[in-house]
Amino acid sequence: MKTLEELKAVREKMESEVALRTHGNASSKYERHVLVCGGTGCTSSGSAQIIDTLTSELAKQGLTDKVQVVKTGCFGLCALGPIMIVYPEGTFYSMVKIEEIPRIVEEHLLGGNPVKEFLYKETVTDEGIKALDETAFYKKQHRVALRNCGVINPECINEYIGRGGYEALGKVLTSMNQDEVIQTILDSGLRGRGGGGFPTGMKWKLAKNIVPNADMKYVCCNADEGDPGAFMDRSVLEGDPHVVLEAMSIAGYAIGAKQGYIYVRAEYPIAVERLEIAIKQAREAGMLGKNIFGTDFSFDIDLRLGAGAFVCGEETALMTSIEGNRGEPRPRPPFPAEKGLFQKPTILNNVETYANIPQIILKGADWFASMGTEKSKGTKVFALGGKINNTGLVEVPMGTTLRTVIEEIGGGIPNGKKFKAAQTGGPSGGCIPAEHFDIPIDYDNLIGIGSMMGSGGLIVMDEDNCMVDIAKFFLEFTVDESCGKCTPCRVGTKRMYEILDKITRGNGTLEDIDKLEQLCYHIKANSLCGLGQTAPNPVLSTLRYFRDEYIAHVVDKKCPAGVCKHLLRFEIERDKCIGCGMCAKQCPASAITRTDYVAPGKKLAAMQIDSEKCVKCGACIASCKFNAIIKK
């Protein structure tokens, strides 16, 4: 495709096919499209086998020419995988099993009658089957970065073009100069979605102007998503890889760069494979390489695989790794806009930031700025995890309350438990307590209460979580991931972890709590890079909102949530125990023996636990059917 006219011709050919999956009334050479999730979550639960079985059954029924099977990216409701959606009806089959496929093919795809018992229960009503966007999980979402995920085949460039792909690149190359592109991004209010929230347009402007006559400039993409529980960027790469390539090319034009690099962790094999396919297709189609759209602009992109070091999420450490060196941060200034990759002017944005760019160019800055809040424009993608019914991927306008995300979209806390806190920003973020359940989620509000946006991981906790243990978990992760270059991070985080471990073992003092807090502020102020500067956040936020739990561990030698096993004691209530001995059989430490006491109405003597031998594994509680064992 050397010209915009050729691109538009491909779009016109593909548009109706792809539109069948969103509008339901477009013309298509197929009667139905069956979309099967091919993201990591569904793949791990067998979606590839679902596709193979579905294809085989369609052939048996003579439906191959009437029904198209499409492997897509993530639909969002990861807890219900494997997921299969049939269009134009829009029927949503969840947790699909291989043995269900023949019946779905025969009754639905051949007979026209959806198999209701296999459908996502939220879509089945007394009045019939309702659309997905009317369900609680989807109706308050607004997909911009995720607009193509779960809609197109990510391994087919023409399907991306059928959804308007590469038109934004064509627009900037043929009708906009560099300053106009940058001003559009500035006016949109787009801020970096990787955690820092720095204005994207300002970053581009600095890279263009600070060294205007540089012989080489670079555009980098941070796809080294390292936060525990985060899978936003992975899902975009798996479901819509071309949007990142297009956005990086636009960024390259804006700052005057000719080369881009995507730094993606090797633990994302599906994302890596689809990026490789997308880059190959883009080069063959003329979207990457020399003289794109017949202009004098040339730009290419290569992949670099990371080994999973969390510190390489920091921009200078990432660039150091791309250069072939050990991933360690550099002192700033100079900032990457002046001396970045290979000491040349460089911009780096994360996957989600880039995923917004083409739509901003096509629909305008005002369109994007109309969403969100005054200082946080647009939408934000979150990976919902932890104690939540609807584990998955959501995209909501900035300013949506935490309550809306957790109770309405997320379906609330399982088993009737109470919401206790939500961790945003991963190891770099903080815990949001129940008192801030109605806070509008945006950059400034989260910082104001001691947390941060981060890349978008959102871990939900209930009353059974110990907040001291949570702080210890995240700090242990940070200690392991510290590159060791600077002393405050290398030594300071280790000392913090040792104090937390001492507290959770029941050996802490009130002075330890004060020392822990002092260490937090020292490490924040003196660490070289963002990893060390933000590592104390989980500790500081839990000290701020859950200090009573720290005091209980120290003064009362108790864990209020019953999590820290060194502070637990297991007891058998003798009057409830029937003496079956099942608990003793399951105990790995031989800590349970029989007493001489026979409870009224019971035939066998009750059991007892030797607290000196007990390892607090909980096997006895799991084995007791009479709830006779309690945890104190």
Side-chain angles (χ1 to χ4, degrees):
M1 286 168 281
K2 296 298 183 182
T3 65
L4 272 175
E5 288 70 27
E6 291 176 315
L7 180 76
K8 290 176 181 177
V10 174
R11 177 177 181 176
E12 290 173 2
K13 180 181 178 181
M14 293 297 302
E15 193 169 20
S16 61
E17 290 291 330
V18 180
L20 180 73
R21 306 167 198 169
T22 54
H23 306 319
N25 57 0
S27 59
S28 170
K29 64 180 180 180
Y30 295 97
E31 293 179 2
R32 288 186 175 90
H33 292 185
V34 181
L35 276 58
V36 183
C37 174
T40 293
C42 287
T43 298
S44 66
S45 53
S47 65
Q49 292 82 358
I50 296 292
I51 292 174
D52 290 342
T53 305
L54 178 61
T55 303
S56 176
E57 288 296 320
L58 290 173
K60 288 179 184 178
Q61 296 288 354
L63 294 174
T64 303
D65 294 333
K66 296 181 179 180
V67 178
Q68 182 184 27
V69 179
V70 183
K71 181 171 69 173
T72 72
C74 180
F75 292 111
L77 257 174
C78 304
L80 298 179
I83 291 171
M84 188 169 78
I85 303 181
V86 180
Y87 288 101
E89 299 95 320
T91 48
F92 187 110
Y93 289 98
S94 62
M95 302 180 77
V96 181
K97 299 179 178 61
I98 290 176
E99 56 267 27
E100 296 171 351
I101 297 298
R103 188 174 165 193
I104 293 172
V105 171
E106 184 173 351
E107 295 185 21
H108 185 176
L109 302 181
L110 184 63
N113 298 309
V115 186
K116 291 185 178 181
E117 64 194 87
F118 299 157
L119 296 179
Y120 174 38
K121 63 181 181 179
E122 295 294 327
T123 64
V124 181
T125 67
D126 294 337
E127 292 76 30
I129 300 172
K130 64 181 179 182
L132 268 183
D133 57 11
E134 296 175 7
T135 63
F137 183 79
Y138 287 103
K139 66 182 178 182
K140 292 197 173 181
Q141 292 195 50
H142 187 77
R143 293 194 156 202
V144 179
L146 299 178
R147 67 183 294 269
N148 286 331
C149 293
V151 176
I152 66 170
N153 176 356
E155 298 180 11
C156 178
I157 188 174
N158 284 350
E159 290 209 356
Y160 177 68
I161 292 171
R163 292 272 289 168
Y166 290 108
E167 288 192 9
L169 177 59
K171 178 180 178 180
V172 303
L173 293 184
T174 58
S175 63
M176 300 175 73
N177 61 39
Q178 292 172 284
D179 292 329
E180 288 172 337
V181 174
I182 293 172
Q183 193 61 48
T184 299
I185 304 304
L186 278 169
D187 293 344
S188 74
L190 176 65
R191 295 171 65 173
R193 297 307 197 241
F198 190 80
T200 303
M202 181 60 66
K203 183 179 288 189
W204 291 16
K205 185 175 183 178
L206 290 171
K208 174 184 179 290
N209 295 331
I210 199 166
V211 188
N213 298 318
D215 59 340
M216 192 68 180
K217 295 182 179 183
Y218 294 99
V219 173
C220 292
C221 173
N222 182 354
D224 191 60
E225 189 172 47
D227 290 3
F231 50 94
M232 303 77 57
D233 291 349
R234 183 189 71 193
S235 296
V236 173
L237 295 176
E238 291 176 351
D240 193 15
H242 283 282
V243 74
V244 176
L245 307 187
E246 181 177 14
M248 290 179 67
S249 299
I250 291 170
Y253 172 74
I255 72 166
K258 296 180 180 180
Q259 178 65 46
Y261 289 98
I262 300 176
Y263 188 86
V264 57
R265 54 181 42 222
E267 294 101 321
Y268 286 179
I270 296 176
V272 171
E273 180 184 8
R274 290 181 184 165
L275 279 170
E276 289 174 341
I277 292 171
I279 290 172
K280 182 175 183 291
Q281 290 177 341
R283 286 172 178 160
E284 291 173 349
M287 300 296 102
L288 289 176
K290 302 284 187 181
N291 306 116
I292 300 172
F293 285 118
T295 68
D296 59 1
F297 175 66
S298 299
F299 188 79
D300 206 353
I301 295 174
D302 289 303
L303 296 184
R304 291 294 183 267
L305 303 187
F310 182 63
V311 72
C312 287
E314 195 276 338
E315 60 180 1
T316 61
L318 183 151
M319 293 174 195
T320 303
S321 182
I322 290 178
E323 292 168 357
N325 301 311
R326 186 173 188 267
E328 292 181 335
R330 305 168 183 166
R332 294 177 296 178
F335 290 93
E338 181 180 1
K339 289 186 178 181
L341 185 62
F342 302 114
Q343 299 298 304
K344 302 295 183 181
T346 305
I347 59 169
L348 180 139
N349 295 110
N350 86 321
V351 171
E352 185 186 341
T353 307
Y354 282 125
N356 286 285
I357 297 296
Q359 289 302 298
I360 292 174
I361 296 296
L362 289 176
K363 296 184 178 180
D366 292 343
W367 164 79
F368 189 81
S370 68
M371 299 177 283
T373 63
E374 182 181 354
K375 294 182 179 180
S376 299
K377 305 296 186 183
T379 61
K380 183 72 189 79
V381 180
F382 291 99
L384 278 180
K387 306 290 186 65
I388 192 81
N389 280 309
N390 294 335
T391 300
L393 204 65
V394 305
E395 183 173 2
V396 294
M398 290 279 196
T400 302
T401 65
L402 185 64
R403 182 185 299 274
T404 297
V405 173
I406 292 175
E407 287 194 345
E408 297 183 39
I409 299 173
I413 315 297
N415 305 316
K417 298 287 186 177
K418 292 181 180 179
F419 170 78
K420 187 173 187 177
Q423 172 83 8
T424 61
S428 303
C431 293
I432 305 172
E435 65 188 79
H436 292 304
F437 206 24
D438 290 303
I439 190 170
I441 302 173
D442 65 18
Y443 291 100
D444 301 316
N445 281 335
L446 292 185
I447 290 173
I449 62 171
S451 187
M452 64 182 290
M453 184 74 72
S455 58
L458 202 162
I459 309 298
V460 181
M461 290 163 274
D462 67 11
E463 58 197 86
D464 292 335
N465 286 105
C466 169
M467 303 313 295
V468 184
D469 182 67
I470 289 293
K472 178 182 169 184
F473 166 79
F474 281 111
L475 199 62
E476 183 179 21
F477 177 86
T478 304
V479 170
D480 287 342
E481 293 294 339
S482 172
C483 74
K485 185 172 184 177
C486 71
T487 303
C489 180
R490 182 184 70 251
V491 179
T493 56
K494 178 66 174 176
R495 295 294 170 264
M496 286 173 63
Y497 176 79
E498 290 170 351
I499 294 174
L500 286 169
D501 187 55
K502 182 181 177 184
I503 291 171
T504 58
R505 288 175 177 270
N507 300 320
T509 65
L510 291 175
E511 289 75 15
D512 285 326
I513 297 178
D514 294 336
K515 186 186 298 183
L516 181 66
E517 196 163 19
Q518 291 171 5
L519 262 176
C520 285
Y521 290 115
H522 179 81
I523 292 167
K524 282 180 71 71
N526 294 285
S527 292
L528 175 61
C529 81
L531 187 149
Q533 292 161 10
T534 59
N537 286 348
V539 179
L540 286 172
S541 64
T542 51
L543 280 170
R544 177 177 179 179
Y545 296 113
F546 301 98
R547 186 177 286 265
D548 58 326
E549 291 196 25
Y550 282 85
I551 293 173
H553 282 69
V554 168
V555 176
D556 302 328
K557 306 301 180 185
K558 289 184 179 179
C559 175
V563 171
C564 300
K565 70 178 186 178
H566 291 92
L567 300 177
L568 297 181
R569 189 173 76 255
F570 289 80
E571 290 185 1
I572 296 177
E573 295 183 308
R574 298 194 304 173
D575 288 337
K576 287 185 179 181
C577 179
I578 69 166
C580 67
M582 184 59 69
C583 55
K585 293 178 181 179
Q586 296 299 319
C587 179
S590 300
I592 303 177
T593 56
R594 193 176 298 278
T595 68
D596 295 330
Y597 177 80
V598 179
K602 306 296 191 298
K603 295 181 180 180
L604 299 174
M607 311 301 291
Q608 64 181 357
I609 299 175
D610 185 341
S611 59
E612 293 297 322
K613 292 182 178 180
C614 178
V615 296
K616 288 98 171 179
C617 66
C620 55
I621 292 180
S623 67
C624 182
K625 298 180 180 179
F626 305 96
N627 298 318
I629 306 177
I630 58 173
K631 186 167 58 173
K632 288 187 175 181

